[in-house]
């Protein structure tokens, strides 16, 4: 069966981050992007963010992902936007990045670390630290879970059809610090990306109506309903967390 993000994308959802545009906006505010900065996006998927950032901030972008079909779509989109000189993508594992030490000013990684076990989270964060220049910034966007909600993880994994591993705020912070990022900034917010307010905010009214109509179709309804019910029921225990960690100079 489709994983949760694939199911939502098929319904028409284009903003698939836990905190939607609110969370992504926060991490971009921390980045202070300029044309001179070199940026790496880990888990770039089809290159949507790479293209938007290159067009908006005119910075040089590098993207990596583990899935070649997504990268093929990214390369096609990059060519269509005439951004070959600004953006390059390649297949790579986040735990062993194919870049030299101190190569980037900014590393962005959204909605990926949540899906990894703790040892893989640590390996990724250490790699991000390694490839960042002194004074460089790591920006991440994930799911935050209160300790008392850990009993509901099995239900969440069943709904999403993937073995997610969210952490509480203290544990996310501790992982950053273990990797070498001292006193990382962070923001925690509500997961409202499947509620009407969040859908309209991220997708616009037309996008909201499209998602709702697709979600009401017979083949989609049961799963769409169960996802919305879970996040509404546990809205006090599951949140999004965005973090910004600076590599010491």
């Amino acid at each position: 069966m489709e994983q949760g993000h694939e199911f939502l994308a098929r319904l028409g959802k284009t903003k698939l981050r836990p905190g939607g545009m609110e969370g992504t906006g926060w991490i971009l505010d921390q980045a202070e992007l300029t044309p001179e900065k070199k940026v790496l996006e880990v888990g770039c998927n089809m290159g949507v963010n790479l293209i938007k950032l290159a067009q908006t901030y005119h910075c040089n972008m590098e993207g990596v992902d583990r899935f070649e079909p997504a990268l093929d779509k990214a390369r096609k989109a990059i060519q269509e936007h005439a951004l070959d000189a600004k953006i390059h993508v390649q297949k790579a594992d986040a735990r062993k990045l194919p870049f030299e030490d101190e190569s980037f000013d900014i590393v962005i990684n959204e909605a990926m670390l949540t899906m990894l076990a703790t040892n893989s989270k640590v390996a990724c964060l250490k790699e991000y630290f390694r490839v960042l220049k002194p004074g460089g910034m790591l920006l991440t966007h994930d799911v935050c879970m209160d300790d008392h909600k850990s009993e509901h993880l099995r239900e969440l994994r069943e709904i999403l059809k993937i073995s997610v591993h969210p952490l509480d705020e203290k544990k996310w912070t501790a992982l950053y610090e273990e990797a070498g990022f001292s006193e990382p900034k962070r923001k925690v917010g509500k997961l409202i990306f499947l509620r009407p307010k969040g859908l309209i905010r991220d997708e616009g009214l037309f996008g909201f109506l499209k998602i709702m109509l697709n979600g009401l179709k017979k083949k989609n309804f049961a799963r769409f309903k169960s996802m919305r019910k879970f996040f509404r029921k546990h809205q006090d225990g599951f949140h999004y967390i965005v973090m910004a960690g600076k590599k010491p100079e």
Side-chain angles (χ1 to χ4, degrees):
M1 185 177 285
E2 293 170 306
Q3 294 180 355
H5 64 283
E6 296 171 331
F7 173 71
L8 292 173
R10 183 166 58 78
L11 297 188
K13 199 163 192 336
T14 63
K15 311 298 188 300
L16 295 167
R17 311 313 189 196
M21 292 305 296
E22 180 179 294
T24 296
W26 186 89
I27 64 173
L28 293 181
D29 286 344
Q30 315 310 308
E32 298 181 354
L33 293 170
T34 64
E36 295 76 27
K37 290 188 176 178
K38 189 173 180 182
V39 182
L40 168 65
E41 182 181 21
V42 180
C44 66
N45 199 257
M46 294 181 288
V48 175
N49 285 345
L50 293 172
I51 291 169
K52 181 178 179 181
L53 295 179
Q55 289 176 327
T56 304
Y57 302 100
H58 311 291
C59 45
N60 293 309
M61 307 289 300
E62 185 81 30
V64 298
D65 203 284
R66 292 182 63 187
F67 301 101
E68 196 64 52
L71 290 171
D72 287 339
K73 293 179 181 179
R75 293 185 186 102
K76 182 178 179 181
I78 291 165
Q79 289 180 342
E80 290 174 349
H81 286 85
L83 288 169
D84 302 74
K86 284 288 184 182
I87 306 173
H88 175 257
V89 298
Q90 63 179 300
K91 184 176 181 179
D93 189 323
R95 295 165 296 185
K96 193 174 182 181
L97 294 170
F99 306 110
E100 295 182 0
D101 296 355
E102 302 179 4
S103 295
F104 297 96
D105 299 290
I106 303 289
V107 174
I108 299 173
N109 187 202
E110 296 189 85
M112 191 197 86
L113 291 175
T114 298
M115 296 188 285
L116 304 179
T118 298
N119 61 336
S120 290
K121 286 181 172 67
V122 171
C124 289
L125 289 171
K126 288 183 177 179
E127 272 293 88
Y128 304 162
F129 187 89
R130 179 184 67 80
V131 301
L132 278 169
K133 299 175 184 178
M137 187 78 71
L138 169 64
L139 305 165
T140 59
H141 185 167
D142 285 285
V143 177
C144 182
M145 176 191 69
D146 292 349
D147 270 343
H148 71 278
K149 288 293 182 179
S150 60
E151 62 190 271
H152 300 293
L153 258 182
R154 179 179 295 181
E155 184 181 356
L156 176 62
R157 290 167 176 167
E158 175 60 28
I159 289 171
L160 297 180
K161 304 302 178 186
I162 189 169
S163 185
V164 292
H165 302 270
L167 302 174
D168 63 35
E169 186 175 353
K170 289 183 179 179
K171 289 178 181 176
W172 277 119
T173 302
L175 286 185
Y176 256 70
E177 292 174 343
E178 181 181 342
F181 300 97
S182 58
E183 299 181 357
K185 295 173 63 177
R186 58 195 181 275
K187 176 185 176 183
V188 175
K190 292 184 177 181
L191 282 176
I192 63 170
F193 69 111
L194 285 182
R195 296 168 64 185
K197 179 181 178 181
L199 288 170
I200 293 172
R201 177 197 66 191
D202 288 347
E203 309 293 343
L205 182 58
F206 178 78
F208 162 71
L209 293 174
K210 178 182 178 181
I211 293 166
M212 294 303 295
L213 288 172
N214 285 331
L216 291 172
K217 290 180 179 179
K218 185 177 181 180
K219 64 179 180 179
N220 301 323
F221 180 68
R223 190 173 184 191
F224 186 55
K225 180 182 178 181
S226 67
M227 290 179 75
R228 296 187 69 220
K229 181 179 179 181
F230 178 87
F231 287 113
R232 184 171 61 250
K233 180 179 179 181
H234 300 295
Q235 61 183 316
D236 293 331
F238 289 89
H239 315 279
Y240 76 82
I241 183 167
V242 281
M243 300 187 67
K246 188 175 182 179
K247 182 174 181 176
E249 297 187 36

PDB file of all heavy atoms in Angstrom, residues 24-25 28 35 46 62 80 83-84 88 111 113 121-124 136 146 156 187 194 200 210 219 232 236 246:
ATOM      1  N   THR A  24       8.257  25.481   6.948  1.00  0.00           N
ATOM      2  CA  THR A  24       9.279  25.751   5.939  1.00  0.00           C
ATOM      3  C   THR A  24       9.663  27.226   5.931  1.00  0.00           C
ATOM      4  O   THR A  24      10.835  27.579   5.789  1.00  0.00           O
ATOM      5  CB  THR A  24       8.780  25.324   4.545  1.00  0.00           C
ATOM      6  OG1 THR A  24       8.572  23.897   4.549  1.00  0.00           O
ATOM      7  CG2 THR A  24       9.800  25.669   3.471  1.00  0.00           C
ATOM      8  N   GLY A  25       8.680  28.089   6.096  1.00  0.00           N
ATOM      9  CA  GLY A  25       8.961  29.527   6.147  1.00  0.00           C
ATOM     10  C   GLY A  25       9.890  29.881   7.290  1.00  0.00           C
ATOM     11  O   GLY A  25      10.779  30.739   7.140  1.00  0.00           O
ATOM     12  N   LEU A  28      13.529  28.895   6.463  1.00  0.00           N
ATOM     13  CA  LEU A  28      14.106  29.782   5.446  1.00  0.00           C
ATOM     14  C   LEU A  28      14.437  31.146   6.038  1.00  0.00           C
ATOM     15  O   LEU A  28      15.410  31.799   5.615  1.00  0.00           O
ATOM     16  CB  LEU A  28      13.157  29.921   4.259  1.00  0.00           C
ATOM     17  CG  LEU A  28      12.957  28.648   3.429  1.00  0.00           C
ATOM     18  CD1 LEU A  28      12.008  28.908   2.273  1.00  0.00           C
ATOM     19  CD2 LEU A  28      14.292  28.099   2.917  1.00  0.00           C
ATOM     20  N   PRO A  35      22.697  35.159  -2.926  1.00  0.00           N
ATOM     21  CA  PRO A  35      23.261  34.517  -4.119  1.00  0.00           C
ATOM     22  C   PRO A  35      24.629  33.891  -3.896  1.00  0.00           C
ATOM     23  O   PRO A  35      25.020  32.971  -4.614  1.00  0.00           O
ATOM     24  CB  PRO A  35      23.349  35.674  -5.124  1.00  0.00           C
ATOM     25  CG  PRO A  35      22.280  36.624  -4.696  1.00  0.00           C
ATOM     26  CD  PRO A  35      22.278  36.554  -3.201  1.00  0.00           C
ATOM     27  N   MET A  46      11.672  15.587  -6.073  1.00  0.00           N
ATOM     28  CA  MET A  46      11.539  15.995  -7.473  1.00  0.00           C
ATOM     29  C   MET A  46      12.057  17.406  -7.750  1.00  0.00           C
ATOM     30  O   MET A  46      11.833  17.963  -8.814  1.00  0.00           O
ATOM     31  CB  MET A  46      10.095  15.862  -7.926  1.00  0.00           C
ATOM     32  CG  MET A  46       9.603  14.426  -7.964  1.00  0.00           C
ATOM     33  SD  MET A  46       7.899  14.237  -8.534  1.00  0.00           S
ATOM     34  CE  MET A  46       6.983  14.875  -7.116  1.00  0.00           C
ATOM     35  N   GLU A  62      22.617  22.293  -4.505  1.00  0.00           N
ATOM     36  CA  GLU A  62      22.950  20.890  -4.726  1.00  0.00           C
ATOM     37  C   GLU A  62      21.866  20.062  -4.051  1.00  0.00           C
ATOM     38  O   GLU A  62      21.473  20.360  -2.910  1.00  0.00           O
ATOM     39  CB  GLU A  62      24.309  20.549  -4.127  1.00  0.00           C
ATOM     40  CG  GLU A  62      24.797  19.150  -4.410  1.00  0.00           C
ATOM     41  CD  GLU A  62      25.435  18.974  -5.776  1.00  0.00           C
ATOM     42  OE1 GLU A  62      26.019  19.946  -6.280  1.00  0.00           O
ATOM     43  OE2 GLU A  62      25.353  17.857  -6.330  1.00  0.00           O
ATOM     44  N   GLU A  80      13.662  22.387 -17.667  1.00  0.00           N
ATOM     45  CA  GLU A  80      12.518  23.168 -18.136  1.00  0.00           C
ATOM     46  C   GLU A  80      12.543  24.598 -17.610  1.00  0.00           C
ATOM     47  O   GLU A  80      12.055  25.523 -18.271  1.00  0.00           O
ATOM     48  CB  GLU A  80      11.209  22.480 -17.727  1.00  0.00           C
ATOM     49  CG  GLU A  80      10.945  21.186 -18.488  1.00  0.00           C
ATOM     50  CD  GLU A  80       9.726  20.439 -17.981  1.00  0.00           C
ATOM     51  OE1 GLU A  80       9.208  20.824 -16.893  1.00  0.00           O
ATOM     52  OE2 GLU A  80       9.293  19.486 -18.645  1.00  0.00           O
ATOM     53  N   LEU A  83      17.603  26.105 -15.283  1.00  0.00           N
ATOM     54  CA  LEU A  83      18.384  26.335 -14.073  1.00  0.00           C
ATOM     55  C   LEU A  83      19.558  25.364 -13.935  1.00  0.00           C
ATOM     56  O   LEU A  83      20.093  25.159 -12.848  1.00  0.00           O
ATOM     57  CB  LEU A  83      17.480  26.231 -12.836  1.00  0.00           C
ATOM     58  CG  LEU A  83      16.504  27.395 -12.637  1.00  0.00           C
ATOM     59  CD1 LEU A  83      15.480  27.057 -11.563  1.00  0.00           C
ATOM     60  CD2 LEU A  83      17.252  28.670 -12.277  1.00  0.00           C
ATOM     61  N   ASP A  84      19.980  24.778 -15.056  1.00  0.00           N
ATOM     62  CA  ASP A  84      21.085  23.814 -15.016  1.00  0.00           C
ATOM     63  C   ASP A  84      22.365  24.405 -14.426  1.00  0.00           C
ATOM     64  O   ASP A  84      23.157  23.696 -13.806  1.00  0.00           O
ATOM     65  CB  ASP A  84      21.379  23.305 -16.432  1.00  0.00           C
ATOM     66  CG  ASP A  84      20.154  22.663 -17.072  1.00  0.00           C
ATOM     67  OD1 ASP A  84      19.252  23.419 -17.463  1.00  0.00           O
ATOM     68  OD2 ASP A  84      20.115  21.431 -17.167  1.00  0.00           O
ATOM     69  N   HIS A  88      22.276  21.263  -9.264  1.00  0.00           N
ATOM     70  CA  HIS A  88      22.757  19.933  -9.648  1.00  0.00           C
ATOM     71  C   HIS A  88      22.191  18.929  -8.655  1.00  0.00           C
ATOM     72  O   HIS A  88      22.159  19.188  -7.450  1.00  0.00           O
ATOM     73  CB  HIS A  88      24.284  19.867  -9.627  1.00  0.00           C
ATOM     74  CG  HIS A  88      24.812  18.502  -9.895  1.00  0.00           C
ATOM     75  ND1 HIS A  88      25.295  17.680  -8.893  1.00  0.00           N
ATOM     76  CD2 HIS A  88      24.912  17.794 -11.053  1.00  0.00           C
ATOM     77  CE1 HIS A  88      25.678  16.534  -9.423  1.00  0.00           C
ATOM     78  NE2 HIS A  88      25.464  16.571 -10.721  1.00  0.00           N
ATOM     79  N   ALA A 111      11.394  16.634   6.668  1.00  0.00           N
ATOM     80  CA  ALA A 111      10.501  15.467   6.716  1.00  0.00           C
ATOM     81  C   ALA A 111      11.212  14.166   6.364  1.00  0.00           C
ATOM     82  O   ALA A 111      10.618  13.271   5.770  1.00  0.00           O
ATOM     83  CB  ALA A 111       9.302  15.682   5.790  1.00  0.00           C
ATOM     84  N   LEU A 113      14.318  12.924   8.631  1.00  0.00           N
ATOM     85  CA  LEU A 113      14.914  12.350   9.833  1.00  0.00           C
ATOM     86  C   LEU A 113      13.877  11.615  10.679  1.00  0.00           C
ATOM     87  O   LEU A 113      14.206  10.618  11.339  1.00  0.00           O
ATOM     88  CB  LEU A 113      15.582  13.443  10.670  1.00  0.00           C
ATOM     89  CG  LEU A 113      16.843  14.073  10.067  1.00  0.00           C
ATOM     90  CD1 LEU A 113      17.317  15.225  10.942  1.00  0.00           C
ATOM     91  CD2 LEU A 113      17.953  13.037   9.907  1.00  0.00           C
ATOM     92  N   LYS A 121      19.646   8.651  12.404  1.00  0.00           N
ATOM     93  CA  LYS A 121      19.515  10.096  12.627  1.00  0.00           C
ATOM     94  C   LYS A 121      20.875  10.689  13.000  1.00  0.00           C
ATOM     95  O   LYS A 121      21.305  11.727  12.465  1.00  0.00           O
ATOM     96  CB  LYS A 121      18.512  10.382  13.754  1.00  0.00           C
ATOM     97  CG  LYS A 121      17.042  10.196  13.425  1.00  0.00           C
ATOM     98  CD  LYS A 121      16.212  10.552  14.650  1.00  0.00           C
ATOM     99  CE  LYS A 121      14.707  10.589  14.393  1.00  0.00           C
ATOM    100  NZ  LYS A 121      14.135   9.274  14.083  1.00  0.00           N
ATOM    101  N   VAL A 122      21.551  10.029  13.936  1.00  0.00           N
ATOM    102  CA  VAL A 122      22.860  10.504  14.399  1.00  0.00           C
ATOM    103  C   VAL A 122      23.856  10.531  13.252  1.00  0.00           C
ATOM    104  O   VAL A 122      24.602  11.507  13.070  1.00  0.00           O
ATOM    105  CB  VAL A 122      23.380   9.613  15.541  1.00  0.00           C
ATOM    106  CG1 VAL A 122      24.828   9.951  15.876  1.00  0.00           C
ATOM    107  CG2 VAL A 122      22.501   9.770  16.781  1.00  0.00           C
ATOM    108  N   ALA A 123      23.882   9.473  12.442  1.00  0.00           N
ATOM    109  CA  ALA A 123      24.816   9.399  11.314  1.00  0.00           C
ATOM    110  C   ALA A 123      24.576  10.540  10.325  1.00  0.00           C
ATOM    111  O   ALA A 123      25.519  11.157   9.824  1.00  0.00           O
ATOM    112  CB  ALA A 123      24.687   8.049  10.619  1.00  0.00           C
ATOM    113  N   CYS A 124      23.300  10.833  10.051  1.00  0.00           N
ATOM    114  CA  CYS A 124      22.965  11.925   9.126  1.00  0.00           C
ATOM    115  C   CYS A 124      23.411  13.274   9.680  1.00  0.00           C
ATOM    116  O   CYS A 124      24.035  14.076   8.974  1.00  0.00           O
ATOM    117  CB  CYS A 124      21.466  11.942   8.860  1.00  0.00           C
ATOM    118  SG  CYS A 124      20.869  10.579   7.852  1.00  0.00           S
ATOM    119  N   GLY A 136      28.344  27.635   9.218  1.00  0.00           N
ATOM    120  CA  GLY A 136      27.230  27.194   8.387  1.00  0.00           C
ATOM    121  C   GLY A 136      26.034  26.759   9.207  1.00  0.00           C
ATOM    122  O   GLY A 136      26.145  26.497  10.407  1.00  0.00           O
ATOM    123  N   ASP A 146       5.280  14.020  22.022  1.00  0.00           N
ATOM    124  CA  ASP A 146       5.395  14.020  23.475  1.00  0.00           C
ATOM    125  C   ASP A 146       5.576  12.590  23.971  1.00  0.00           C
ATOM    126  O   ASP A 146       5.018  11.643  23.401  1.00  0.00           O
ATOM    127  CB  ASP A 146       4.142  14.620  24.112  1.00  0.00           C
ATOM    128  CG  ASP A 146       4.019  16.111  23.833  1.00  0.00           C
ATOM    129  OD1 ASP A 146       4.990  16.703  23.329  1.00  0.00           O
ATOM    130  OD2 ASP A 146       2.944  16.689  24.101  1.00  0.00           O
ATOM    131  N   LEU A 156       0.049   5.207  14.430  1.00  0.00           N
ATOM    132  CA  LEU A 156       0.541   6.172  13.462  1.00  0.00           C
ATOM    133  C   LEU A 156       1.265   5.471  12.312  1.00  0.00           C
ATOM    134  O   LEU A 156       1.068   5.808  11.134  1.00  0.00           O
ATOM    135  CB  LEU A 156       1.485   7.164  14.140  1.00  0.00           C
ATOM    136  CG  LEU A 156       2.161   8.205  13.238  1.00  0.00           C
ATOM    137  CD1 LEU A 156       1.124   9.092  12.572  1.00  0.00           C
ATOM    138  CD2 LEU A 156       3.150   9.050  14.048  1.00  0.00           C
ATOM    139  N   LYS A 187      11.502  25.637  16.969  1.00  0.00           N
ATOM    140  CA  LYS A 187      10.117  26.064  17.112  1.00  0.00           C
ATOM    141  C   LYS A 187       9.236  24.829  16.987  1.00  0.00           C
ATOM    142  O   LYS A 187       9.441  23.994  16.107  1.00  0.00           O
ATOM    143  CB  LYS A 187       9.739  27.075  16.032  1.00  0.00           C
ATOM    144  CG  LYS A 187       8.265  27.480  16.067  1.00  0.00           C
ATOM    145  CD  LYS A 187       7.902  28.386  14.893  1.00  0.00           C
ATOM    146  CE  LYS A 187       6.412  28.696  14.902  1.00  0.00           C
ATOM    147  NZ  LYS A 187       6.011  29.521  13.734  1.00  0.00           N
ATOM    148  N   LEU A 194      -3.754  18.636   7.858  1.00  0.00           N
ATOM    149  CA  LEU A 194      -4.902  17.938   7.291  1.00  0.00           C
ATOM    150  C   LEU A 194      -6.231  18.541   7.734  1.00  0.00           C
ATOM    151  O   LEU A 194      -7.288  18.037   7.364  1.00  0.00           O
ATOM    152  CB  LEU A 194      -4.860  16.454   7.664  1.00  0.00           C
ATOM    153  CG  LEU A 194      -3.838  15.605   6.906  1.00  0.00           C
ATOM    154  CD1 LEU A 194      -3.927  14.150   7.336  1.00  0.00           C
ATOM    155  CD2 LEU A 194      -4.037  15.714   5.405  1.00  0.00           C
ATOM    156  N   ILE A 200      -6.087  24.969   3.530  1.00  0.00           N
ATOM    157  CA  ILE A 200      -6.299  26.225   2.790  1.00  0.00           C
ATOM    158  C   ILE A 200      -5.049  27.084   2.846  1.00  0.00           C
ATOM    159  O   ILE A 200      -4.643  27.705   1.852  1.00  0.00           O
ATOM    160  CB  ILE A 200      -7.511  26.975   3.356  1.00  0.00           C
ATOM    161  CG1 ILE A 200      -8.792  26.184   3.068  1.00  0.00           C
ATOM    162  CG2 ILE A 200      -7.612  28.378   2.753  1.00  0.00           C
ATOM    163  CD1 ILE A 200     -10.030  26.732   3.754  1.00  0.00           C
ATOM    164  N   LYS A 210      -9.915  20.442  -4.091  1.00  0.00           N
ATOM    165  CA  LYS A 210      -9.464  19.289  -4.855  1.00  0.00           C
ATOM    166  C   LYS A 210      -9.123  18.122  -3.936  1.00  0.00           C
ATOM    167  O   LYS A 210      -9.520  16.971  -4.190  1.00  0.00           O
ATOM    168  CB  LYS A 210      -8.242  19.677  -5.690  1.00  0.00           C
ATOM    169  CG  LYS A 210      -7.647  18.524  -6.488  1.00  0.00           C
ATOM    170  CD  LYS A 210      -6.400  18.982  -7.251  1.00  0.00           C
ATOM    171  CE  LYS A 210      -5.775  17.820  -8.020  1.00  0.00           C
ATOM    172  NZ  LYS A 210      -4.552  18.261  -8.748  1.00  0.00           N
ATOM    173  N   LYS A 219     -12.585   4.975  -3.084  1.00  0.00           N
ATOM    174  CA  LYS A 219     -11.327   4.254  -2.941  1.00  0.00           C
ATOM    175  C   LYS A 219     -10.373   4.926  -1.953  1.00  0.00           C
ATOM    176  O   LYS A 219      -9.416   4.305  -1.485  1.00  0.00           O
ATOM    177  CB  LYS A 219     -10.640   4.105  -4.289  1.00  0.00           C
ATOM    178  CG  LYS A 219     -10.210   5.413  -4.931  1.00  0.00           C
ATOM    179  CD  LYS A 219      -9.509   5.167  -6.247  1.00  0.00           C
ATOM    180  CE  LYS A 219      -9.069   6.474  -6.897  1.00  0.00           C
ATOM    181  NZ  LYS A 219      -8.355   6.240  -8.177  1.00  0.00           N
ATOM    182  N   ARG A 232      -6.404  14.649  14.487  1.00  0.00           N
ATOM    183  CA  ARG A 232      -7.314  15.487  15.273  1.00  0.00           C
ATOM    184  C   ARG A 232      -7.383  14.979  16.716  1.00  0.00           C
ATOM    185  O   ARG A 232      -7.339  15.763  17.666  1.00  0.00           O
ATOM    186  CB  ARG A 232      -8.705  15.481  14.635  1.00  0.00           C
ATOM    187  CG  ARG A 232      -9.702  16.400  15.338  1.00  0.00           C
ATOM    188  CD  ARG A 232     -10.995  16.544  14.546  1.00  0.00           C
ATOM    189  NE  ARG A 232     -11.672  15.270  14.366  1.00  0.00           N
ATOM    190  CZ  ARG A 232     -11.784  14.632  13.205  1.00  0.00           C
ATOM    191  NH1 ARG A 232     -11.225  15.130  12.106  1.00  0.00           N
ATOM    192  NH2 ARG A 232     -12.421  13.477  13.133  1.00  0.00           N
ATOM    193  N   ASP A 236      -2.733  17.177  20.600  1.00  0.00           N
ATOM    194  CA  ASP A 236      -1.971  17.704  21.738  1.00  0.00           C
ATOM    195  C   ASP A 236      -0.675  16.933  21.985  1.00  0.00           C
ATOM    196  O   ASP A 236       0.134  17.351  22.815  1.00  0.00           O
ATOM    197  CB  ASP A 236      -2.820  17.674  23.013  1.00  0.00           C
ATOM    198  CG  ASP A 236      -3.996  18.636  22.936  1.00  0.00           C
ATOM    199  OD1 ASP A 236      -3.878  19.659  22.231  1.00  0.00           O
ATOM    200  OD2 ASP A 236      -5.038  18.362  23.557  1.00  0.00           O
ATOM    201  N   LYS A 246      23.814  25.967  14.231  1.00  0.00           N
ATOM    202  CA  LYS A 246      24.973  26.598  13.601  1.00  0.00           C
ATOM    203  C   LYS A 246      26.244  25.839  13.949  1.00  0.00           C
ATOM    204  O   LYS A 246      26.480  25.488  15.107  1.00  0.00           O
ATOM    205  CB  LYS A 246      25.094  28.051  14.069  1.00  0.00           C
ATOM    206  CG  LYS A 246      26.137  28.869  13.332  1.00  0.00           C
ATOM    207  CD  LYS A 246      26.094  30.320  13.780  1.00  0.00           C
ATOM    208  CE  LYS A 246      27.093  31.167  13.010  1.00  0.00           C
ATOM    209  NZ  LYS A 246      27.049  32.595  13.432  1.00  0.00           N
TER     210      LYS A 246
END
